[in-house]
Amino acid sequence: MSKLSKKSGLAVFLLVVLAVAVVFFGMNYSKKQQQELVTIAEKTDQKDEVATQEDTSQQIASYEESRKELSVLDYLKYLSLLKEEVAISFYGDLAQEEPWISVTEKYINEQTGSKIKSNRLAYPDYNSYQLISEIKGKELAATNPDVVFFQLTPYADQKLDIGLADSSDYLTMNYDAIKDVLPEALIVFVAPNPSSSEKGNNNSRTLDYTSYLKEMVATVEENKWIGFNLHDSYLDKLEMDSKTLENTLTENGKALNDEGTAIYSTLFEEALNKKVDTTSGI
């Protein structure tokens, strides 16, 4: 073999060794780089997790300091930080289908950034005595709600033809019965929308539904319970916008039409954002 051939073979061998070395060291460097990146990412994730935990703790502390002046919506946000699942229940003299409830449920989920479990316990035309005598509070308790939106029953109480004092007493009994089975639930009393056909439709006591509603609202206020008087807010809104009540209701003069639903839903959302004392809850 010629010297030239030997030199060529040696050069090829050296090039192969060099290539293998480059690949080997390149792979090791790449692994080190990847490991460093993984370590950095893990440290960053840990820092982010700690920061998130600190931020959550600060939010919880802030909510807890404001419990006496916290909106119901903020109360639901507060609960979302404490619990894996938060539930609300719409309860009382409700129709089986109430479009404004769906609008309200969507609004609450959007504002809280959580999927709030919502239940409907509709007892259409039930008066305050029926809710007590048929022990509907136990059915409510089965849904395990954190917040109960209790639709008041002035229409049904007026038809029952009971005295105003009795209506007030039954409302108090309803509250006590719910707190007995759901001691940590926040109860919010909600006034129904006004009616054009029932206004002035008196019973044997010469009382129409507004008489019972005023008594119920007064009972809520005297006991310092949480109340959304959407009935009066609704009438105020109509007066401010120069609209007639009849045009926001269906033909029966009581149920909400699309325009009425929009008004009532908006008023409900505004009420959810008003500061109230939430210490009666969890």
Side-chain angles (χ1 to χ4, degrees):
M1 183 180 294
S2 67
K3 291 182 178 181
L4 183 59
S5 297
K6 289 181 178 180
K7 289 181 178 179
S8 297
L10 180 61
V12 170
F13 174 75
L14 291 174
L15 286 173
V16 170
V17 171
L18 180 61
V20 170
V22 169
V23 171
F24 176 77
F25 286 113
M27 290 176 64
N28 278 348
Y29 178 76
S30 177
K31 287 181 179 179
K32 287 181 179 179
Q33 287 289 89
Q34 289 178 2
Q35 185 59 45
E36 287 178 5
L37 289 173
V38 169
T39 302
I40 292 172
E42 288 176 346
K43 289 181 178 179
T44 301
D45 288 342
Q46 290 173 354
K47 288 181 180 179
D48 289 343
E49 184 177 351
V50 171
T52 299
Q53 290 175 349
E54 290 177 350
D55 184 54
T56 299
S57 297
Q58 290 175 357
Q59 290 181 59
I60 291 173
S62 177
Y63 284 136
E64 290 178 343
E65 290 173 2
S66 306
R67 288 290 303 278
K68 288 189 175 181
E69 291 185 345
L70 195 67
S71 71
V72 175
L73 187 62
D74 282 337
Y75 179 72
L76 288 169
K77 293 177 183 178
Y78 165 62
L79 292 178
S80 296
L81 297 174
L82 298 177
K83 307 177 64 174
E84 291 185 4
E85 182 179 79
V86 179
I88 60 177
S89 290
F90 294 89
Y91 173 81
D93 184 11
L94 298 162
Q96 292 295 345
E97 295 295 330
E98 290 280 9
W100 64 264
I101 294 181
S102 297
V103 177
T104 301
E105 290 169 338
K106 181 180 179 181
Y107 175 79
I108 289 175
N109 283 326
E110 289 175 346
Q111 295 301 310
T112 60
S114 305
K115 180 61 177 177
I116 306 294
K117 181 182 178 182
S118 184
N119 309 285
R120 301 188 193 188
L121 292 95
Y123 302 106
D125 301 321
Y126 263 60
N127 55 60
S128 57
Y129 174 73
Q130 281 178 289
L131 293 174
I132 285 294
S133 63
E134 297 185 21
I135 320 177
K136 294 303 181 183
K138 286 191 175 181
E139 294 178 16
L140 174 63
T143 64
N144 196 29
D146 297 288
V147 177
V148 177
F149 293 108
F150 189 142
Q151 186 92 7
L152 292 170
T153 61
Y155 292 108
D157 280 26
Q158 187 267 349
K159 290 180 180 178
L160 184 60
D161 212 349
I162 59 176
L164 295 179
D166 290 332
S167 182
S168 176
D169 289 343
Y170 292 144
L171 180 60
T172 300
M173 291 170 65
N174 272 281
Y175 180 88
D176 292 341
I178 293 173
K179 291 300 280 186
D180 185 52
V181 292
L182 293 167
E184 294 187 340
L186 187 74
I187 302 175
V188 181
F189 290 100
V190 183
N193 63 274
S195 167
S196 59
S197 59
E198 296 296 326
K199 178 70 181 295
N201 183 17
N202 295 340
N203 58 18
S204 68
R205 299 173 185 270
T206 66
L207 300 172
D208 72 357
Y209 84 90
T210 62
S211 303
Y212 291 87
L213 178 62
K214 289 177 183 177
E215 182 69 19
M216 291 176 175
V217 170
T219 301
V220 171
E221 293 176 349
E222 287 168 6
N223 286 281
K224 296 182 179 180
W225 298 330
I226 302 174
F228 292 173
N229 190 355
L230 304 188
H231 178 277
D232 290 359
S233 298
Y234 194 103
L235 293 174
D236 291 341
K237 175 67 174 173
L238 293 179
E239 183 178 359
M240 184 174 63
D241 295 344
S242 299
K243 293 182 178 180
T244 61
L245 175 60
E246 291 79 3
N247 288 336
T248 66
L249 304 173
T250 60
E251 292 181 359
N252 67 9
K254 184 180 177 183
L256 296 167
N257 61 19
D258 289 344
E259 184 177 4
T261 295
I263 295 172
Y264 194 80
S265 301
T266 299
L267 293 173
F268 201 109
E269 292 169 8
E270 291 175 358
L272 284 171
N273 286 282
K274 290 182 178 178
K275 306 298 183 184
V276 294
D277 186 346
T278 64
T279 55
S280 60
I282 188 173

